[in-house]
Amino acid sequence: FTDAVVTTPVCCPSRATMLTGQYAHNHGVLANTPGYSDLRGKANTLPVWLRRAGYATAHVGKYLNRYASSADERGEVAPGWDEWHTVLDPARKYVRYYGYRLAVNGDVKRVRKRPRDYITRVINRRAARMIRERVPRRKPLYLQVDHRAPHTEAGVNSGGPCGGIVPPDPRDALAFTGTALPRPPSFDEEDVSDKPTFIRGLPPMSEDVTSRVELGYRCALASLLSVDRGMRGIVSELRRARELANTAIVFTSDNGFFFGEHRIPEQKTRPYEEALRVPLLIRAPDRALGGGPAAREVTEPVANIDLVPTVLDLAGA
């Protein structure tokens, strides 16, 4: 899908939309803080509807911000999920790729800081295990995998050239070291006199700032290699189970990101194309497409509010 956007370009409101099919002003989550506690109808979400329709539901990875702080118990499973393998909010509000807490079906464990504990590796392993354990069975599986990469790391430093920015899997530490930062016309915009005050007040980017933005861009790309391996593993497990032809796969993100466009070194939330636009790819069974050749590219505009009704339609829920 070449024209896919999110309706609110920030983590928690966007992911709440992908659980409800509603705009933020309807589901109630307008910011990352207080986050999940503001969600209206917590027991009236996509996994609840799918389980009611006969699906087994599994969540692996990051959930809505501040979920754990609003739950009665730290490991409490959110409504609708049969399997709950969820990374809890990091301590001191900092994003971490190591040393995090993982809630597993009601229990909480602290994950260590070895290479095998790199968060994307853990999410990948558990997602593949869900498929091995639950496909094929009488109940079809809805599996939601929410990666942390390529989210920035803050307040801690995991080491290496990307520590404190976006740490990739250790095996990918040197990937993309020579990749140049894209510089579209909006990059470090020269004339911002026609922009609102929050842009006019930004200074031109110095060489030091530009170098850090370029490093962040390279580190973000490197962190996604592990996500790619995880996607390959999911497809391989579905193929092994002979269920790939019966499975719909949706790949997207909760927001875009700035890498120097409009003088914004790093951020989302701002009402510009770079924050709103996200990748969206869907692989669906032939029969779900109504027969005939499937479109390879869809140019009509779509948004994250469209994902929930699409999944419900595919599931007959």
Side-chain angles (χ1 to χ4, degrees), residues 129-188:
R129 187 191 309 166
M130 286 299 99
I131 298 173
R132 286 196 299 272
E133 292 178 352
R134 289 189 170 267
V135 177
R137 282 194 184 182
R138 182 178 61 82
K139 284 188 175 183
L141 175 66
Y142 173 74
L143 171 63
Q144 183 171 313
V145 181
D146 292 322
H147 279 289
R148 176 156 283 166
H151 200 294
T152 54
E153 183 176 51
V156 292
N157 191 320
S158 297
C162 295
I165 305 175
V166 186
D169 187 307
R171 73 188 81 176
D172 303 318
L174 301 180
F176 298 102
T177 54
T179 301
L181 177 69
R183 301 195 181 200
S186 60
F187 181 82
D188 193 19

Side-chain angles (χ1 to χ4, degrees), residues 15-35:
R15 280 183 274 119
T17 290
M18 291 190 277
L19 274 180
T20 64
Q22 295 178 310
Y23 288 104
H25 59 262
N26 287 326
H27 61 57
V29 181
L30 301 177
N32 289 345
T33 303

Side-chain angles (χ1 to χ4, degrees), residues 3 6 16 37 95 116 148 155 179 189 204 229-230 267 292 300 307:
D3 193 8
V6 295
S37 64
V95 174
R116 71 184 313 271
R148 176 156 283 166
T179 301
E189 201 166 340
R229 282 191 287 269
Q267 186 51 272
E300 285 84 0
L307 296 176

Side-chain angles (χ1 to χ4, degrees), residues 184-202:
S186 60
F187 181 82
D188 193 19
E189 201 166 340
E190 183 176 354
D191 181 7
V192 294
S193 60
D194 61 334
K195 298 297 187 296
T197 54
F198 65 82
I199 295 296
R200 293 202 306 271
L202 296 175

